[in-house]
Amino acid sequence: MKDVAARARVSVATASYVMAGRGRVSDKTRDIVLKAADELGFVRNAAAANLRSGQSRMIGVILNNIANPFFSHLVSELESAAYNEGFLTILATAKNDIERQRKMLESMVSQGVGAIILSPVHNTCLEDLEVAITRGIPIISCVRDLPECPVSFVGVDDELSGYLAMRSALRTGKKTAVFLGGYANTTTLEGRRAGVQRALKEAGLPEANCQFRLGPLSMEFGASELSEISTGRCPPPVVICFNDYVATGVYEAARELGLSVGMDFSIISFDNTPISSALTPSLTSVDIFPGKVGAIAAQRAAEMIHTGTATRTIDRLDPVLIERDSSSLTG
């Protein structure tokens, strides 16, 4: 830093302000200092700066499966928001493995991240997060809430999501449905289940009119389940898929079975990723705003690092149903 200051003919304090991106420095002086730093090959030592300021400029991000288009969209907006706030993101995927998630949390902590954004693995509990919580590192759980843990949440109203999906099915004149995918005892699934049941109750129908078949959130699961429940090539009137990834598998199985989506049966999904409008026929999906969830999570993480707090906050967005051709209007 002394060499940069000498070359730019400014004080060490001014050079430090410029390289840290803070303080009142004129644009002309800033350009001179940055040019001097570039000529000298100077790279700011973030680890040393963290020790001096007590603040990290890194946010750790642990997602379940980046191959899912939902998470691709989420992390894209998350990274952009973090960058705009002056933070670098470190990304890892847990692949729904609780032990892998624990090791990644430990690694993130050892790397000196200031906050962690987590899409938690199924069955995540307080003990799994203690490596960060005991050190005062804020955790923001996105998409799936962990109300029993002292972590923040950014996601949508899951109960309303389920309600919108089932109400859409009922509006087409269908009275029964099958719900495919999801893990038991998670706030996401149980919220959607409650919403489905509310829509059925409003219509004067029993809860049993929507059968829940739980399982992994994969295309393979969606395809195998449709093949199994379409006995005699007769599918259920409505298939509600946990996400667009599962729905894509249902589309593939439908083609193999010679079934016409939107005519022989309806498909309704959640996420509203770009694949929803690319499928033929286009997929009716509840938009749960993955990009917005990612951006808000990054902003909350930045705020917590700046303020040095880890108090639980909740950002719960209202989902929106996007109706397309996969949900027919025939009875």
Side-chain angles (χ1 to χ4, degrees):
M1 190 68 75
K2 289 180 180 179
D3 292 339
V4 172
R7 192 179 189 92
R9 296 183 179 181
V10 298
S11 68
V12 174
T14 297
S16 179
Y17 285 145
V18 172
M19 300 311 297
R22 55 189 176 83
R24 294 186 177 181
V25 181
S26 70
D27 291 341
K28 181 179 179 180
T29 300
R30 180 175 290 102
D31 290 341
I32 292 172
V33 172
L34 291 176
K35 181 180 179 182
D38 185 56
E39 291 173 349
L40 292 172
F42 177 88
V43 177
R44 183 169 178 264
N45 189 325
N50 290 347
L51 289 174
R52 289 193 297 272
S53 68
Q55 285 190 349
S56 170
R57 307 305 296 177
M58 296 188 296
I59 297 174
V61 182
I62 304 176
L63 303 178
N64 266 336
N65 183 2
I66 197 65
N68 185 332
F70 175 90
F71 287 112
S72 300
H73 192 191
L74 184 150
V75 77
S76 175
E77 295 299 316
L78 186 160
E79 192 278 334
S80 294
Y83 177 82
N84 291 336
E85 295 286 345
F87 289 88
L88 171 71
T89 53
I90 303 175
L91 176 65
T93 54
K95 299 184 178 180
N96 211 39
D97 183 330
I98 196 74
E99 185 57 32
R100 182 183 173 101
Q101 178 179 273
R102 284 184 184 180
K103 290 180 179 178
M104 288 177 173
L105 282 165
E106 291 175 359
S107 180
M108 294 288 186
V109 171
S110 70
Q111 291 297 319
V113 299
I116 296 172
I117 297 173
L118 175 71
S119 175
V121 165
H122 181 223
N123 285 332
T124 295
C125 63
L126 178 59
E127 181 183 354
D128 302 313
L129 309 178
E130 283 184 342
V131 64
I133 292 173
T134 56
R135 290 167 173 78
I137 298 174
I139 297 176
I140 297 90
S141 179
C142 61
V143 184
R144 181 185 297 167
D145 195 7
L146 297 172
E148 71 283 0
C149 300
V151 302
S152 295
F153 171 69
V154 180
V156 302
D157 185 328
D158 293 312
E159 194 273 347
L160 181 56
S161 297
Y163 175 79
L164 292 174
M166 191 68 224
R167 188 181 66 171
S168 175
L170 296 172
R171 285 174 55 199
T172 66
K174 311 295 174 57
K175 298 185 185 302
T176 60
V178 174
F179 189 110
L180 299 183
Y183 299 103
N185 303 317
T186 61
T187 55
T188 307
L189 176 71
E190 297 311 321
R192 291 179 183 178
R193 189 199 301 271
V196 166
Q197 292 172 350
R198 175 160 70 99
L200 288 169
K201 183 177 181 180
E202 284 186 2
L205 298 171
E207 295 178 356
N209 276 32
C210 183
Q211 177 190 2
F212 282 76
R213 296 173 67 96
L214 308 186
L217 312 181
S218 66
M219 292 171 57
E220 293 76 14
F221 175 77
S224 64
E225 286 295 298
L226 183 70
S227 298
E228 185 173 328
I229 61 181
S230 298
T231 54
R233 298 178 67 179
C234 182
V238 180
V239 174
I240 301 176
C241 299
F242 190 90
N243 61 21
D244 294 346
Y245 216 36
V246 174
T248 303
V250 174
Y251 268 73
E252 290 186 355
R255 282 195 296 270
E256 293 178 1
L257 294 169
L259 299 173
S260 177
V261 175
M263 296 295 291
D264 294 322
F265 72 112
S266 296
I267 302 179
I268 300 172
S269 182
F270 301 86
D271 287 359
N272 193 41
T273 56
I275 198 172
S276 301
S277 54
L279 290 168
T280 304
S282 55
L283 174 63
T284 292
S285 189
V286 178
D287 196 340
I288 59 176
F289 307 108
K292 188 178 291 187
V293 167
I296 294 174
Q299 291 162 3
R300 292 291 173 266
E303 289 170 5
M304 291 179 177
I305 293 173
H306 286 314
T307 60
T309 62
T311 304
R312 174 173 165 85
T313 62
I314 299 176
D315 291 276
R316 204 180 302 276
L317 310 177
D318 286 339
V320 175
L321 176 72
I322 308 299
E323 293 186 292
R324 299 190 179 95
D325 298 334
S326 69
S327 52
S328 66
L329 297 177
T330 58

